[in-house]
Amino acid sequence: MLEDNYKQRGLRNKLVKKLREKGIKDEAVLAAIGKVPRHVFFDEALLNHAYEDKAFPIGEGQTISQPFTVAFQTEKLEIKSGDKVLEIGTGSGYQACILLELGATLYTIEYNRKLYETVRTFLPQMGYKPFFLHGDGSKGIPAKAPFDKIIVTAGAPVVPAALTDQLAEGGILVIPVGDREKQLMLRIRKKNGKLVREEFDYFAFVPLLGEQGWKG
Ligand code: SAH
């Protein structure tokens, strides 16, 4: 269902309004949410829910993040056009589209082989072309580092050292860290080689797996 009609656009505008009311201020982020069709990621049966501010299942036990969460993490990343960005947890690819709309040069890595295969065919059909990688993103991508921005879209038990190591000077890592049920959103900035950490609200993500993540 790649069609995007006036009804879908209307629902998207309403979603943008809701996100503004919930505290998202960055107009570029809101414009990206207003532009990227979200309904195309949904199964026929769930189509009516595409523009609700909720997370939804995308198969393989994974989810498409809640729009507020996508907007919140993206706003905290302070994306500038041309930034080299690493996304860990491609999932449906929705967050990747938002980052690309903001002008990021995007590397996105997914652990689940099936989701990776699906997304790397689907996103280019929509006109979105990040670099797709399959593997354990908890180790980052040393061969492509450093990154201006790193976003982790799964809940981590700790801040993986590999990720802060792969941040460029002045770079920003946004990552939810906590237990399996809830995680605190952290922003870590590399300033003169030192790490400066800010804490925001609690969120509930699916677990980050892999070497620096949860086991199984
Ligand atoms: N950004 C996604 C949300 C994905 S949910 C979206 O916009 O839809 C989190 C994703 O992280 C899942 O697809 C899961 O398979 C993936 N994941 C979990 N651990 C990972 C790891 N170590 N490396 C890469 N991806 C991982």
Side-chain angles (χ1 to χ4, degrees), residues 62-65 87-95 109-112 115 135-138 153-154 206-210:
Q62 301 301 330
T63 52
I64 178 168
S65 298
E87 179 194 22
I88 296 159
T90 317
S92 68
Y94 177 71
Q95 170 79 71
I109 182 163
E110 171 57 52
Y111 207 32
N112 181 292
L115 290 176
D136 177 9
S138 76
T153 67
V206 298
L208 179 76
L209 304 176

Coordinates of all heavy atoms in Angstrom, one line a residue, residues 62-65 87-95 109-112 115 135-138 153-154 206-210, ligand 1:
Q62 N 9.1 -7.8 16.8 CA 9.6 -6.5 16.9 C 8.5 -5.4 16.6 O 7.4 -5.8 16.2 CB 10.8 -6.3 15.9 CG 11.9 -7.2 16.1 CD 12.5 -7.1 17.5 OE1 12.5 -6.0 18.1 NE2 13.1 -8.2 18.0
T63 N 8.9 -4.2 16.8 CA 7.9 -3.1 16.7 C 8.3 -1.9 15.9 O 9.5 -1.7 15.8 CB 7.5 -2.6 18.1 OG1 8.7 -2.2 18.8 CG2 6.8 -3.6 19.0
I64 N 7.4 -1.2 15.4 CA 7.7 0.1 14.8 C 7.5 1.1 16.0 O 6.4 1.1 16.6 CB 6.8 0.5 13.6 CG1 7.1 1.9 13.0 CG2 5.3 0.3 13.9 CD1 6.4 2.1 11.7
S65 N 8.5 1.9 16.3 CA 8.4 2.8 17.5 C 7.3 3.7 17.4 O 6.8 4.1 16.4 CB 9.7 3.6 17.6 OG 10.8 2.7 17.8
E87 N 22.3 4.3 12.8 CA 21.1 3.9 13.5 C 21.3 2.4 13.8 O 21.5 1.6 12.9 CB 19.8 4.1 12.6 CG 18.6 3.6 13.4 CD 17.4 3.4 12.5 OE1 17.5 3.3 11.3 OE2 16.2 3.4 13.0
I88 N 21.1 2.1 15.1 CA 21.1 0.7 15.5 C 19.7 0.2 15.8 O 19.0 0.7 16.7 CB 22.1 0.5 16.7 CG1 23.5 0.9 16.3 CG2 22.1 -0.9 17.2 CD1 24.4 1.3 17.4
G89 N 19.3 -0.8 14.9 CA 17.9 -1.3 15.0 C 17.1 -0.7 13.9 O 16.2 0.1 14.1
T90 N 17.3 -1.2 12.7 CA 16.6 -0.6 11.5 C 15.1 -0.9 11.6 O 14.3 -0.1 11.3 CB 17.1 -1.3 10.2 OG1 18.5 -1.3 10.2 CG2 16.6 -0.5 9.0
G91 N 14.7 -2.1 12.1 CA 13.3 -2.5 12.3 C 12.5 -2.3 11.0 O 12.9 -2.8 9.9
S92 N 11.5 -1.5 11.1 CA 10.6 -1.3 9.9 C 11.3 -0.4 8.9 O 10.9 -0.4 7.8 CB 9.3 -0.6 10.4 OG 9.6 0.7 10.9
G93 N 12.2 0.5 9.4 CA 12.8 1.5 8.5 C 12.2 2.9 8.7 O 12.6 3.8 8.1
Y94 N 11.1 3.0 9.5 CA 10.4 4.3 9.6 C 11.4 5.4 10.2 O 11.5 6.5 9.6 CB 9.2 4.1 10.5 CG 8.5 5.5 10.7 CD1 7.8 6.1 9.7 CD2 8.5 6.1 12.0 CE1 7.1 7.3 9.9 CE2 7.8 7.3 12.2 CZ 7.2 7.9 11.1 OH 6.5 9.1 11.3
Q95 N 12.1 5.1 11.3 CA 13.0 6.0 11.8 C 14.1 6.4 10.8 O 14.5 7.6 10.8 CB 13.6 5.4 13.1 CG 14.8 6.2 13.7 CD 14.4 7.4 14.5 OE1 13.8 7.3 15.6 NE2 14.6 8.6 13.9
I109 N 21.8 -0.5 10.9 CA 22.1 -1.9 11.0 C 21.0 -2.6 11.8 O 20.5 -2.1 12.8 CB 23.5 -2.0 11.7 CG1 23.9 -3.5 11.9 CG2 23.6 -1.3 13.1 CD1 25.4 -3.7 12.2
E110 N 20.7 -3.8 11.3 CA 19.6 -4.6 11.9 C 20.2 -6.0 12.1 O 20.9 -6.6 11.3 CB 18.4 -4.7 10.9 CG 17.3 -5.6 11.3 CD 16.7 -5.4 12.7 OE1 16.4 -4.3 13.0 OE2 16.7 -6.4 13.5
Y111 N 19.8 -6.6 13.3 CA 20.3 -7.9 13.7 C 19.5 -9.0 13.2 O 20.0 -10.1 12.9 CB 20.2 -7.9 15.3 CG 21.2 -8.8 16.0 CD1 22.4 -9.1 15.5 CD2 20.8 -9.4 17.2 CE1 23.3 -9.9 16.2 CE2 21.7 -10.2 17.9 CZ 23.0 -10.4 17.4 OH 23.8 -11.2 18.1
N112 N 18.2 -8.8 13.0 CA 17.3 -9.8 12.5 C 17.4 -9.9 11.0 O 17.0 -9.0 10.3 CB 15.9 -9.5 13.0 CG 14.9 -10.5 12.6 OD1 14.6 -10.7 11.4 ND2 14.4 -11.3 13.6
L115 N 14.0 -9.2 9.0 CA 13.7 -7.7 9.0 C 14.6 -7.0 8.0 O 14.2 -6.1 7.3 CB 13.7 -7.1 10.4 CG 12.6 -7.6 11.3 CD1 12.9 -7.0 12.7 CD2 11.2 -7.2 10.8
G135 N 23.7 -7.2 11.1 CA 24.7 -7.7 12.1 C 24.4 -7.1 13.5 O 23.4 -6.5 13.7
D136 N 25.4 -7.3 14.4 CA 25.3 -6.8 15.7 C 25.7 -5.4 15.9 O 26.9 -5.1 16.0 CB 26.1 -7.8 16.6 CG 26.1 -7.3 18.1 OD1 25.3 -6.4 18.4 OD2 26.8 -7.9 18.9
G137 N 24.7 -4.5 16.0 CA 25.0 -3.1 16.1 C 25.5 -2.6 17.4 O 25.9 -1.5 17.6
S138 N 25.4 -3.5 18.4 CA 25.9 -3.1 19.8 C 27.4 -2.9 19.8 O 27.9 -2.3 20.7 CB 25.5 -4.2 20.8 OG 26.3 -5.3 20.7
T153 N 17.8 2.3 18.8 CA 16.4 2.2 18.9 C 15.9 0.9 19.5 O 14.8 0.4 19.3 CB 15.7 2.4 17.5 OG1 16.0 1.3 16.7 CG2 16.1 3.7 16.8
A154 N 16.8 0.4 20.4 CA 16.4 -0.8 21.2 C 17.0 -0.5 22.6 O 18.0 0.2 22.8 CB 17.0 -2.1 20.6
V206 N 12.0 -2.6 22.8 CA 12.4 -4.0 22.8 C 13.9 -4.1 23.1 O 14.6 -3.1 22.9 CB 12.1 -4.7 21.4 CG1 10.6 -4.6 21.1 CG2 12.8 -4.0 20.3
P207 N 14.4 -5.3 23.6 CA 15.8 -5.3 24.0 C 16.8 -5.2 22.9 O 16.6 -5.8 21.8 CB 15.8 -6.7 24.7 CG 14.6 -7.4 24.3 CD 13.6 -6.5 23.9
L208 N 17.9 -4.5 23.2 CA 19.1 -4.6 22.3 C 19.8 -5.9 22.6 O 20.1 -6.2 23.7 CB 20.0 -3.4 22.7 CG 21.3 -3.4 21.8 CD1 21.0 -2.8 20.4 CD2 22.4 -2.5 22.5
L209 N 20.0 -6.7 21.5 CA 20.6 -8.0 21.7 C 22.1 -7.8 21.3 O 22.5 -6.7 21.0 CB 19.9 -9.0 20.8 CG 18.4 -9.2 21.0 CD1 17.8 -10.1 20.0 CD2 18.1 -9.6 22.5
G210 N 22.8 -8.9 21.4 CA 24.2 -8.9 20.9 C 25.2 -8.8 22.0 O 24.9 -8.8 23.2
Ligands
SAH1 N1 14.0 2.0 14.4 C1 12.9 1.0 14.3 C2 12.5 0.4 15.6 C3 13.0 -0.9 15.7 S1 12.6 -1.9 17.1 C4 11.7 1.5 13.5 O1 11.7 2.7 13.2 O2 10.9 0.8 13.2 C5 14.3 -2.4 17.5 C6 15.1 -3.1 16.4 O3 16.4 -3.4 16.9 C7 14.5 -4.5 16.2 O4 14.2 -4.6 14.8 C8 15.6 -5.5 16.6 O5 15.7 -6.6 15.8 C9 16.8 -4.6 16.5 N2 18.0 -5.0 17.2 C10 18.1 -5.6 18.5 N3 19.4 -5.7 18.9 C11 20.1 -5.3 17.8 C12 21.5 -5.3 17.6 N4 22.4 -5.7 18.5 N5 22.0 -4.7 16.4 C13 21.1 -4.3 15.5 N6 19.8 -4.3 15.6 C14 19.3 -4.8 16.8

